[in-house]
Structure formats: structure tokens, C-alpha cells
Amino acid sequence: MKLVIAVINGDDSSAVISGLTSNGYYATKLSTSGGFLKSGNVTLMTGVEDEKVDDVIAVIGEFSKKRTQMIPPSAGYAMEGIISKPIEITVGGATVFVIDVDRFIKL
């Protein structure tokens, strides 16, 4: 048994959750934030049998694609005294952790 933890962009969460449930996987959703923009992320946790881990990761990857986004200049990242232009950054995708589970009990 494995615990798959996936940190995904909040914009992708509905599609990822729908993809997982339509493939027979259950997930627990945690609202989180962080990263460069301190924007909303979603952390999904799902327990699966060892042989299903690659399938779960494939579903997550299918619905959490990387894309670019323009963000306006901000004092948080602009150099002092220089007027900066909007910056193009990459958002989306997923960070996935797979952890061994010694025991899984569903009550």
C-alpha cells in the first residue's frame, strides 16, 4: 500500500479529482498555499495498492498540465529603482510524493 500525495494548482483541482474518481480512486483534498505567487494550491492524498501508483500518477499528470501566465510587476520581485515589465511564469503541473504505508484502516 502506498500513500500518493500530490500538490497541484487550485485551477486544476476539479479536473484532477474528477479524473481520479472516474477511475475508481478516492482522494482527500486539503487546501494549501505556497510557491512563488503564494497562490492557492490543493494537496490531494490517496491510498492505493502498489501496482496502481503509476495509474494514479498518470491521471494526475493528465489533468494538471503546466502552462505560462503573465503576472504584473510587484515590489516583491522588482529590483529597486527599476520599473519592471510583467513577467511570464510557469504555473500548473504537479509535485507528487509516494510514501510507503505500513497499515491502512478505513473505519
Side-chain angles (χ1 to χ4, degrees), residues 14-59:
S14 293
V16 172
I17 293 169
S18 292
L20 288 170
T21 55
S22 68
N23 282 283
Y25 301 109
Y26 298 100
T28 299
K29 174 183 169 182
L30 304 170
S31 296
T32 55
S33 63
F36 178 68
L37 297 177
K38 296 183 178 38
S39 61
N41 293 327
V42 170
T43 300
L44 299 176
M45 299 187 308
T46 185
V48 297
E49 299 299 327
D50 292 12
E51 62 273 5
K52 296 183 180 181
V53 169
D54 290 336
D55 187 42
V56 168
I57 292 172
V59 171

Side-chain angles (χ1 to χ4, degrees), residues 37-89:
L37 297 177
K38 296 183 178 38
S39 61
N41 293 327
V42 170
T43 300
L44 299 176
M45 299 187 308
T46 185
V48 297
E49 299 299 327
D50 292 12
E51 62 273 5
K52 296 183 180 181
V53 169
D54 290 336
D55 187 42
V56 168
I57 292 172
V59 171
I60 293 167
E62 180 181 350
F63 295 102
S64 57
K65 299 293 184 192
K66 289 184 179 182
R67 56 198 171 275
T68 58
Q69 175 180 328
M70 297 297 288
I71 59 170
S74 166
Y77 60 83
M79 295 176 59
E80 189 174 316
I82 298 175
I83 299 173
S84 69
K85 297 179 181 180
I87 297 175
E88 184 176 57
I89 61 165

